[in-house]
Amino acid sequence: MRDLFTSWLDFLPIFVPATIALEVLRADPLLVFVSAGLAIIPLAGLLGRATEHLTTHVGAGIGALLNASIGNAAELIIALIALREGLHDVVKASLTGSILGNIFLVLGGSMLAGGLKYERQKFNQTAAGMGAGLLLLAAAGLIIPALFHFTAVELGVAVERELSLTTSFILFASYVASLLFTLKTNHHLFAGEAHNALDLGEQPWTRRASITVLTVVTCLVALMSEMLVGDLEPAAQQLGLTQVFIGVILVALVGNGPNIPQPDGGAGKQDAPGLGYRSWV
């Protein structure tokens, strides 16, 4: 844990108490909104970092599942709170922003950073193929209800909602099937090499420390997201921004920004340990 503060991002959590103070003092909503956004960025980074350290104790398969779920906890919490507040445009836009952010920011940044440092980069072909298939299915799940909305609106809102609900169940079932494929039926294909936090340039955290960081940071993300969404509408009015812009751009930057790897990160090996922040070798 002595390696916790190794990046300038690790010092941004100072905005957590600052945001709480601004909220208690009923400061300008724009100040609260900006402070909460700056607080979530390092917290999201700590979530992914603690998950990487926990992977050294639970193995690559479970670690990949944790990365896919907890690694996106910040975006998920913001979306859930926005949905509760009735900000449907923000939620729908955040889905698009999350996809674009993971493709261009995380995956693109991983390829660029890896290419600058390593001569060759390797990846798990099976995992990449399954991920591409799930991405295509998810894209279809977003496009089909949208096409129905614009081409068959005369059938009524009830039919559109039923289609959207059915599509969501299909996507959820596909995700569960992918978990069974990854963790049970073909777990040997996703085992990969042993994960070691030393490859990240620091001493590995203990299992208890990793779980503690995950629990505390998740609670803080939920608190900051509550304040962020609570002042979203007045802040958007002051900035002259739409809910769609905030969902596509700001939420994606807040959730995915910390996951972009640095070109000088990782161990000095001849071959890159993997293609991407969350990939297997």
Side-chain angles (χ1 to χ4, degrees), residues 40-41 43-45 47 69-81 218 221-222 225 228 251 254-256 258:
I40 292 175
I41 291 176
L43 293 177
L47 279 176
S69 54
I70 300 178
N72 294 312
E75 295 170 279
L76 178 61
I77 292 173
I78 293 175
L80 290 175
I81 294 177
T218 300
V221 168
S225 300
L228 178 78
V251 174
V254 167
N256 291 315

Side-chain angles (χ1 to χ4, degrees), residues 1-7 10 45-54 56-57 195-206 210 213 264-268 277:
M1 294 297 292
R2 63 179 180 272
D3 299 307
L4 186 59
F5 297 97
T6 58
S7 169
D10 295 334
L46 280 176
L47 279 176
R49 190 168 164 191
T51 305
E52 287 291 329
H53 283 270
L54 187 58
T56 64
H57 302 285
H195 284 246
N196 192 335
L198 289 174
D199 293 339
L200 301 177
E202 58 184 0
Q203 292 294 326
W205 300 350
T206 64
S210 300
V213 171
D264 58 347
Y277 181 77

